[in-house]
């Protein structure tokens, strides 16, 4: 079905009255802005093998509701995980540009956004992310890859952390919407209960933070529960880049198959 046809079912209107424009070249999804109905919406169609990329759409559905209730995610209008379709209300703002993320003001804003996310209460319906298990699953598909011993050591250290919180795990500028006063997060498919430093590492790695910017991020983020630990953040950044490399390798292998 086309995005217009999917939206027409939700709006109960003729698909010919709607107009869809692709707004994001996602690696696992296709997202479209659809206009012509009662309101502007975003239709996301999942287009990848979710099992090999370790995506749980049913866990994502729970997280989407939590993010909406907390005011940090878009309002969900229709979510059909089994049909790979998600419709949300369009958020009032724009994507942050990549170079804007490293601005000191935005580093502080992102730290505050993650602090709010990590404070949310979750139940057992949200998947728990064990990074060592994530590695093992990717290695099962690819074989040992790169410096796998170091990766496993850091992952096991992370999994042993007593503080485990709801994390987004994919915080880059294309998933950040800014209206000038507030930030929202999009694309929660890799969210789960895990290590907050892995979430912080995603910001650093996607935007090439230097040592000073990394320190600023954890200083602005830190609460009574999480003291700044630059060395630990560096290790998690190494692991995040390693896992990102595995993810791309699996995705490319899926395309070949």
């Amino acid at each position: 079905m086309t995005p217009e046809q999917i939206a027409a079912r939700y709006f109960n209107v003729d698909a010919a009255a709607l107009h869809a424009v692709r707004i994001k070249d996602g690696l696992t999804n296709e997202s479209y802005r659809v206009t012509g109905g009662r309101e502007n919406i975003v239709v996301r169609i999942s287009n990848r093998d979710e099992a090999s990329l370790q995506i749980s759409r049913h866990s994502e559905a729970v997280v989407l509701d939590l993010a909406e209730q907390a005011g940090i995610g878009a309002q969900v209008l229709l979510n059909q995980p089994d049909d790979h379709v998600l419709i949300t209300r369009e958020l009032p703002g724009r994507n942050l540009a990549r170079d804007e993320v490293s601005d000191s003001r935005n580093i502080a804003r992102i730290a505050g956004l993650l602090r709010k996310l990590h404070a949310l209460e979750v139940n057992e319906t949200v998947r728990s992310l064990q990074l060592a298990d994530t590695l093992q699953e990717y290695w099962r598909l690819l074989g040992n890859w790169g410096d796998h011993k170091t990766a496993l050591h850091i992952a096991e250290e992370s999994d042993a952390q007593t503080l485990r919180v709801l994390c987004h795990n994919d915080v880059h500028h294309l998933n950040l919407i800014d209206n000038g006063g507030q930030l929202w997060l999009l694309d929660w498919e890799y969210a789960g209960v895990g290590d907050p430093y892995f979430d912080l590492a995603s910001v650093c790695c996607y935007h090439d933070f230097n040592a000073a910017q990394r320190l600023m991020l954890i200083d602005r983020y830190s609460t009574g529960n999480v003291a700044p630990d630059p060395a630990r953040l560096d290790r998690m950044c190494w692991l995040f880049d390693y896992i990102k490399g595995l993810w791309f390798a699996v995705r490319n292998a899926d395309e070949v198959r």
Side-chain angles (χ1 to χ4, degrees), residues 114-128:
L114 291 181
R115 195 165 55 243
K116 186 174 183 178
L117 166 62
H118 294 170
L120 296 181
E121 293 186 8
V122 297
N123 59 36
E124 66 279 358
T125 59
V126 177
R127 64 175 180 165
S128 177

Side-chain angles (χ1 to χ4, degrees), residues 196-240:
Y197 264 68
F198 194 72
D199 233 4
L200 295 166
S202 73
V203 181
C204 299
C205 293
Y206 280 131
H207 307 99
D208 297 327
F209 276 16
N210 58 34
Q213 290 164 334
R214 291 184 183 189
L215 183 59
M216 182 182 298
L217 178 66
I218 55 175
D219 276 343
R220 299 296 186 275
Y221 170 85
S222 295
T223 64
N225 291 328
V226 181
D229 188 342
R232 182 179 163 209
L233 180 59
D234 287 345
R235 294 193 297 276
M236 295 307 294
C237 285
W238 185 95
L239 182 63
F240 185 89

